[in-house]
């Protein structure tokens, strides 16, 4: 169980220079400390050091829930030892995203006889292995799995189906048209469906959304409380989700309180879905709602739906006007203190009283936003991105000043043009912004490695920003963890299932006033963990990034896209200075034309000792292969390296093979893709990326209020 010879060593380690021995702390304090240690380390290493830790490491508070999600060093053998050691004590097991583990690893889960919750999303799983495993897990009530091509429900045993009949929560990611295990789950209360079915097979055959004969009307929704469906682009996904919804339209569950469908692009309303919505309006009272934009636009649906104590609304991409928002959703200023998450991304008219004669760039109606802020005073997550929310000259009515009242905000997404101070003459741009608008490719050349900003520029930026409305906003949101500033017309060069975009729309004219001083203001967010900055044309030196690196010591995810002029990377020196201070940074995504991933950049990036995932997307970008190899050798935690640049296919393939050959053995989860951004086979390469990486970092999107909070554990 433990090595007695380690007793003296552990005592010496536990005692510091002041004579304080860690082992003299109370069990409660030690258990709290041990709760931050990965379970695999507790069971396989820490508990072998001494008798006291051997006992504490097996405490129920530490073994009840085991999280292997993003434990990238876990391999099949460690899972085997873990299950042998504490399998019977585990009640909740999260292996989501463990794509590198062979399917045979799932066999060891059978030892966890008392499992109540199990998450295997992203794991390799066959129908037969699923059947064998679930047959032994009689206490299971919550399950998350993937349904891949080749899944056959007829291979599920009667014992497996008996377990599924008791499951109350199911999360199912579909890569092939199928009902999966839904027909077997007769007691479902929560159903989450992720549709990731491609329209064409690898061989180029067009897929059909029709399900197998005998699977047409078998889902059981009578106890359903939560229905959630997220669709990737493609008509097959739409066809399949309609079949899931058909049963709902026949008989809407009386206890349904959350109905959410997230669908990109156009998803036309059908007779079946119209009947479903009519039935919901008559029979249910909702707490969470999200519908495709075409189901809401131009309809009177919202005025007929009934809400109880709503906690989540998403009207993303809808043409809903502010007048309708206040009248039909907030009910004329009704108290909505229960609402904690609101997604109005892409709702270009949601802050204006009427959308009929309004242009998207016109000023917002501050009274609409003020009513929203007053009614929804407990908002934690708010997304107003992908729209032009321009404030007028009304004193104290700027969007930033009104949002500053939402003191509980933890996540905020705004368009860049919304944070600019209102100019005294709205017919003219500020002088600074006019002089800084330089055609792409022109301007003074920048020497790589030499700071391009004065030493006192950072202090000057801070002094300027402290008088801005954006500074005031952030000053009143000290606990903000997630911040996104995204240009209202920004589109990533790497969309889903399509060739790379070569041209992007120009930024909003008001965004020309947002520059380094506004970025520097973000540095006051001491608890910031995730930051996205995209399409900020007035970035001159990037000096504000240094302020963020110095002061935001909890920063874990950083995404930068199209900052400054598009013809060159003006912020490279500041970015390298920033990275030297980002000790907690785990994910870095850079999207910038003409980016040079050279030796100096990777030397600076090597200071990010916690970095795990790197994604660089750059049209006409270059890389130095030896610098990449040196970086991978120095940063031992990096398990994902995606680089889509302007290099030739030969250069990319050679580098990718070198990285895999050199580091795969020591990093079982290593996922490497080096590929030309504008190559015609890009979409084929993208489809092989593990969904966890693709969804969280490789593809650009706004993530604030994307889903209801705590949708899944």
């Amino acid at each position: 169980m433990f090595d007695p010879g380690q007793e003296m060593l552990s005592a010496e380690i536990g005692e510091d220079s002041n004579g304080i021995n860690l082992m003299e702390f109370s069990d409660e304090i030690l258990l709290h400390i041990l709760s931050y240690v990965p379970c695999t380390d507790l069971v396989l290493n820490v508990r072998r050091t001494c008798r006291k830790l051997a006992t504490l490491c097996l405490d129920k508070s530490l073994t009840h829930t085991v999280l292997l999600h993003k434990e990238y060093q876990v391999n099949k053998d460690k899972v085997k030892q873990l299950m042998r050691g504490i399998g019977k004590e585990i009640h909740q097991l999260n292996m989501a995203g463990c794509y590198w583990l062979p399917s045979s690893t799932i066999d060891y889960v059978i030892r966890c006889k008392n499992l109540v919750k199990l998450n295997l999303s992203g794991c390799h799983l066959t129908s037969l292995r699923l059947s064998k495993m679930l047959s032994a897990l009689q206490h299971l009530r919550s399950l998350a799995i993937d349904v891949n091509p080749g899944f056959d429900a007829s291979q599920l045993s009667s014992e497996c189906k008996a377990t599924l009949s008791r499951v109350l929560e199911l999360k199912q990611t579909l890569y092939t048209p199928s009902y999966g295990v839904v027909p077997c789950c007769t007691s479902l209360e929560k159903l989450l469906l992720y549709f990731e079915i491609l329209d064409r097979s690898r061989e180029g055959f067009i897929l059909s959304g029709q399900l197998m004969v005998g699977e047409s009307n078998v889902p059981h929704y009578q106890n359903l409380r939560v229905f959630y469906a997220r669709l990737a682009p493609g008509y097959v996904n739409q066809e399949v989700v309609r079949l899931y919804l058909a049963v709902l339209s026949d008989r809407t569950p009386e206890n349904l309180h959350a109905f959410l469908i997230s669908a990109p692009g156009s998803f036309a309303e059908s007779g079946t879905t119209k009947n479903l919505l009519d039935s919901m309006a008559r029979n249910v009272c909702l707490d969470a709602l999200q519908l495709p934009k075409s189901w809401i636009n131009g309809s009177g649906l919202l005025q007929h739906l009934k809400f109880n104590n709503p906690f989540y609304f998403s009207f993303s991409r809808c043409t809903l006007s502010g007048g309708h928002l206040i009248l039909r959703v907030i009910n004329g200023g009704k108290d909505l203190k229960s609402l904690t998450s609101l997604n109005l991304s892409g709702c270009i008219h949601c802050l204006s009283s009427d959308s009929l004669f309004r242009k998207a760039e016109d000023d917002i109606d501050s009274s609409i936003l003020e009513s929203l802020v007053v009614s929804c005073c407990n908002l934690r997550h708010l997304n107003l991105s992908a729209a032009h929310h321009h404030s007028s000259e009304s004193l104290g009515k700027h969007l930033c000043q009104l949002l500053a009242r939402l003191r509980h905000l933890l996540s905020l997404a705004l368009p860049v043009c919304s944070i600019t101070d209102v100019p005294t003459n709205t017919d003219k741009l500020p002088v600074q912004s006019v002089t800084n608008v330089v055609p792409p490719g022109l301007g003074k050349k920048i020497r790589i490695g030499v700071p391009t900003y004065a030493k006192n520029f950072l202090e000057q930026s801070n002094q300027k920003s402290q008088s801005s409305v954006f500074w005031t906003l952030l000053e009143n949101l000290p606990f903000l963890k997630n911040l996104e500033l995204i240009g209202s017309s920004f589109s990533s060069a790497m969309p889903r299932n399509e060739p790379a975009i070569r041209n992007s729309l120009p930024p909003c004219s008001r965004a020309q006033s947002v520059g380094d001083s506004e970025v520097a203001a973000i540095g006051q967010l001491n608890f910031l963990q995730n930051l996205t900055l995209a399409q900020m044309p007035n970035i001159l030196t990037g000096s504000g990034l240094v302020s963020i690196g110095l002061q935001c010591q909890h920063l874990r995810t950083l995404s930068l896209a199209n900052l400054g002029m598009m013809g060159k990377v003006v912020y490279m020196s500041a970015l390298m200075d920033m990275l030297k201070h980002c000790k907690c940074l785990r994910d870095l995504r850079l999207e910038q034309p003409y980016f040079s991933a050279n030796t100096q950049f990777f030397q600076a990036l090597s200071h990010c000792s916690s970095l795990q995932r790197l994604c660089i997307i750059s049209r006409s970008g270059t890389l130095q292969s030896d610098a990449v190899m040196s970086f991978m050798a120095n940063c031992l935690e990096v398990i994902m390296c995606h680089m889509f640049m302007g290099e030739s296919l030969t250069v990319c393939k050679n580098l990718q093979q070198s990285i895999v050959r050199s580091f795969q053995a020591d990093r079982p989860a290593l996922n490497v893709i080096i590929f030309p951004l504008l190559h015609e086979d890009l979409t084929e390469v993208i489809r092989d990326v593990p969904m966890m990486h693709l969804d969280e970092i490789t593809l650009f999107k706004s993530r604030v209020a994307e889903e209801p909070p705590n949708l899944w554990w």
Side-chain angles (χ1 to χ4, degrees):
M1 185 175 181
F2 66 91
D3 183 359
Q6 294 283 339
E7 285 280 1
M8 186 66 69
L9 178 60
S10 65
E12 292 175 356
I13 294 175
E15 185 172 339
D16 66 13
S17 58
N18 295 321
I20 300 176
N21 194 320
L22 184 66
M23 293 300 103
E24 294 178 355
F25 288 171
S26 68
D27 288 354
E28 289 76 13
I29 293 177
L30 287 174
L31 285 172
H32 181 73
I33 295 173
L34 293 173
S35 68
Y36 290 92
V37 180
C39 193
T40 49
D41 286 335
L42 288 178
V43 175
L44 304 183
N45 299 315
V46 179
R47 79 178 179 122
R48 302 180 186 278
T49 57
C50 68
R51 288 186 176 89
K52 184 169 186 176
L53 289 179
T55 301
L56 290 178
C57 286
L58 297 181
D59 188 86
K60 290 183 178 180
S61 64
L62 300 178
T63 60
H64 179 274
T65 300
V66 173
L67 305 177
L68 300 183
H69 176 58
K70 294 189 177 180
E71 292 294 331
Y72 298 117
Q73 293 303 318
V74 170
N75 55 32
K76 179 181 177 180
D77 186 58
K78 288 183 179 181
V79 174
K80 178 180 179 180
Q81 295 181 55
L82 184 67
M83 299 308 167
R84 281 181 174 177
I86 62 170
K88 294 181 180 179
E89 309 301 323
I90 302 175
H91 288 72
Q92 300 183 14
L93 176 61
N94 187 349
M95 296 177 63
C98 293
Y99 56 86
W100 63 92
L101 295 176
S103 59
S104 56
T105 310
I106 303 301
D107 296 341
Y108 303 125
V109 178
I110 295 177
R111 294 179 178 271
C112 306
K113 303 291 186 181
N114 295 312
L115 266 184
V116 177
K117 290 189 173 185
L118 176 61
N119 192 340
L120 296 176
S121 295
C123 296
H124 300 291
L125 187 65
T126 63
S127 307
L128 290 175
R129 278 205 158 88
L130 177 66
S131 179
K132 181 181 178 182
M133 177 189 67
L134 293 183
S135 297
L137 304 180
Q138 299 181 8
H139 301 287
L140 196 67
R141 297 295 179 270
S142 178
L143 175 65
I145 60 170
D146 291 352
V147 176
N148 291 292
F151 178 86
D152 186 357
S154 66
Q155 294 180 339
L156 303 180
S157 67
S158 57
E159 293 83 1
C160 169
K161 292 180 179 179
T163 297
L164 289 170
S165 69
R166 294 185 290 268
V167 167
L168 303 178
E169 301 177 351
L170 176 65
K171 177 182 178 183
Q172 192 169 256
T173 303
L174 295 155
Y175 294 94
T176 187
S178 172
Y179 276 125
V181 299
V182 172
C184 303
C185 301
T186 56
S187 303
L188 276 183
E189 295 181 2
K190 177 187 287 189
L191 177 59
L192 276 58
L193 300 167
Y194 293 77
F195 296 87
E196 297 289 343
I197 311 166
L198 296 174
D199 290 343
R200 291 180 178 270
S201 66
R202 291 184 181 277
E203 296 75 23
F205 298 118
I206 298 176
L207 297 178
S208 170
Q210 296 301 312
L211 300 184
M212 294 175 59
V213 176
E215 289 190 324
S216 58
N217 58 357
V218 283
H220 300 271
Y221 296 146
Q222 59 268 25
N223 298 317
L224 207 61
R225 295 175 54 82
V226 176
F227 181 90
Y228 175 87
R230 193 187 79 175
L231 285 67
Y235 73 91
V236 174
N237 290 314
Q238 296 183 9
E239 285 187 13
V240 177
V241 77
R242 290 187 194 280
L243 297 175
Y244 277 84
L245 293 173
V247 181
L248 270 179
S249 65
D250 291 337
R251 182 182 176 186
T252 306
E254 296 179 358
N255 294 322
L256 189 69
H257 76 97
F259 186 76
L260 308 125
I261 298 180
S262 173
S266 176
F267 184 21
E269 187 178 17
S270 65
T272 299
T273 56
K274 188 178 186 305
N275 292 338
L276 170 60
L277 296 176
D278 290 342
S279 177
M280 288 172 52
R282 292 191 306 269
N283 302 316
V284 301
C285 198
L286 297 174
D287 292 330
L289 177 68
Q290 179 177 10
L291 296 174
K293 62 179 183 180
S294 58
W295 297 13
I296 294 180
N297 293 345
S299 73
L301 174 65
L302 290 180
Q303 67 185 91
H304 299 298
L305 288 176
K306 296 183 287 291
F307 302 105
N308 186 22
N309 293 303
F311 61 88
Y312 177 80
F313 284 141
S314 177
F315 302 111
S316 179
R317 306 289 172 181
C318 295
T319 57
L320 187 71
S321 72
H324 289 164
L325 179 68
I326 297 299
L327 179 64
R328 297 177 180 177
V329 180
I330 304 180
N331 204 10
K334 178 185 176 182
D335 181 4
L336 278 181
K337 292 181 179 179
S338 60
L339 194 68
T340 59
S341 188
L342 178 61
N343 189 344
L344 296 173
S345 172
C347 294
I348 59 177
H349 302 300
C350 68
L351 298 183
S352 63
S353 56
D354 191 3
S355 61
L356 189 58
F357 301 105
R358 180 184 183 271
K359 296 180 180 179
E361 298 82 5
D362 289 347
D363 290 348
I364 64 172
D365 184 341
S366 59
S367 65
I368 299 290
L369 181 58
E370 190 166 19
S371 297
L372 183 67
V373 168
V374 171
S375 301
C376 311
C377 57
N378 288 323
L379 276 176
R380 301 291 196 277
H381 314 280
L382 177 61
N383 194 330
L384 293 172
S385 65
H388 297 272
H389 294 316
H390 298 168
S391 298
S392 63
E393 295 183 54
S394 301
L395 187 64
K397 300 294 186 179
H398 192 283
L399 177 140
C400 290
Q401 294 171 317
L402 293 173
L403 293 183
R405 302 180 190 178
L406 297 174
R407 303 297 180 90
H408 301 291
L409 275 180
L410 300 176
S411 305
L412 179 61
L414 294 174
V416 173
C417 57
S418 71
I419 68 170
T420 181
D421 286 276
V422 180
T424 53
N425 186 347
T426 56
D427 294 329
K428 297 181 180 180
L429 287 173
V431 174
Q432 180 188 8
S433 67
V434 174
T435 58
N436 289 334
V437 179
V438 183
L442 301 179
K444 185 178 179 180
K445 293 185 178 179
I446 296 176
R447 293 174 58 195
I448 298 297
V450 179
T452 59
Y453 50 91
K455 293 182 179 180
N456 64 342
F457 194 90
L458 185 59
E459 289 78 6
Q460 294 174 359
S461 294
N462 283 334
Q463 291 175 2
K464 176 186 174 183
S465 61
Q466 290 181 20
S467 61
S468 70
V469 289
F470 184 56
W471 177 280
T472 302
L473 170 63
L474 300 187
E475 189 177 32
N476 285 276
L477 304 177
F479 301 110
L480 201 66
K481 293 182 179 180
N482 309 296
L483 177 63
E484 297 177 353
L485 295 178
I486 304 173
S488 52
S489 56
F490 174 76
S491 58
S492 173
M494 184 174 289
R496 184 79 182 272
N497 300 337
E498 301 171 20
I501 294 176
R502 289 168 169 77
N503 298 308
S504 58
L505 296 173
C508 173
S509 59
R510 288 207 186 187
Q512 302 286 357
S513 302
V514 180
D516 295 309
S517 60
E518 283 75 18
V519 173
I522 299 172
Q524 63 186 302
L525 298 175
N526 294 326
F527 297 97
L528 188 67
Q529 294 183 7
N530 306 298
L531 174 63
T532 296
L533 302 175
Q535 199 182 39
M536 302 179 71
N538 202 35
I539 296 295
L540 301 180
T541 65
S543 60
L545 295 173
V546 183
S547 175
I548 296 173
L550 287 168
Q551 299 176 68
C552 302
Q553 289 297 300
H554 298 283
L555 191 65
R556 296 163 64 94
T557 301
L558 177 63
S559 177
L560 305 178
N562 293 6
L563 303 187
M565 294 182 298
M566 298 297 288
K568 59 184 178 182
V569 186
V570 298
Y571 60 93
M572 178 63 92
S573 295
L575 174 63
M576 292 190 293
D577 280 350
M578 174 196 190
L579 292 175
K580 295 174 183 178
H581 306 288
C582 297
K583 303 302 181 184
C584 293
L585 191 68
R586 295 190 179 185
D587 296 338
L588 175 62
R589 186 187 191 277
L590 297 173
E591 181 171 341
Q592 188 80 32
Y594 304 100
F595 190 89
S596 176
N598 55 26
T599 301
Q600 294 95 326
F601 167 73
F602 281 111
Q603 286 176 345
L605 189 58
S606 296
H607 287 85
C608 303
S609 54
S610 300
L611 192 70
Q612 295 177 331
R613 301 190 290 187
L614 171 66
C615 181
I616 302 179
I617 299 167
S618 179
R619 176 172 51 84
S620 303
T622 59
L623 58 83
Q624 294 181 3
S625 297
D626 55 342
V628 179
M629 293 297 293
S630 178
F631 159 73
M632 291 295 295
N634 293 330
C635 293
L636 304 180
E637 300 295 320
V638 175
I639 55 86
M640 191 206 91
C641 181
H642 290 179
M643 301 179 70
F644 304 94
M645 313 287 281
E647 300 286 1
S648 68
L649 182 61
T650 301
V651 170
C652 293
K653 280 190 173 182
N654 289 340
L655 177 57
Q656 178 174 321
Q657 291 172 359
S658 297
I659 295 175
V660 172
R661 187 167 52 247
S662 300
F663 305 107
Q664 184 79 69
D666 297 326
R667 308 181 198 184
L670 185 65
N671 182 256
V672 182
I673 297 181
I674 317 291
F675 203 76
L677 177 63
L678 300 182
H679 196 281
E680 59 183 4
D681 293 333
L682 178 64
T683 54
E684 294 300 313
V685 172
I686 291 283
R687 70 188 297 171
D688 291 326
V689 177
M691 183 54 61
M692 179 176 69
H693 299 324
L694 188 67
D695 191 55
E696 294 179 1
I697 182 169
T698 305
L699 296 178
F700 184 95
K701 63 178 177 179
S702 177
R703 292 176 170 82
V704 172
E706 180 187 17
E707 295 180 344
N710 305 316
L711 184 62
W712 198 253
W713 62 290

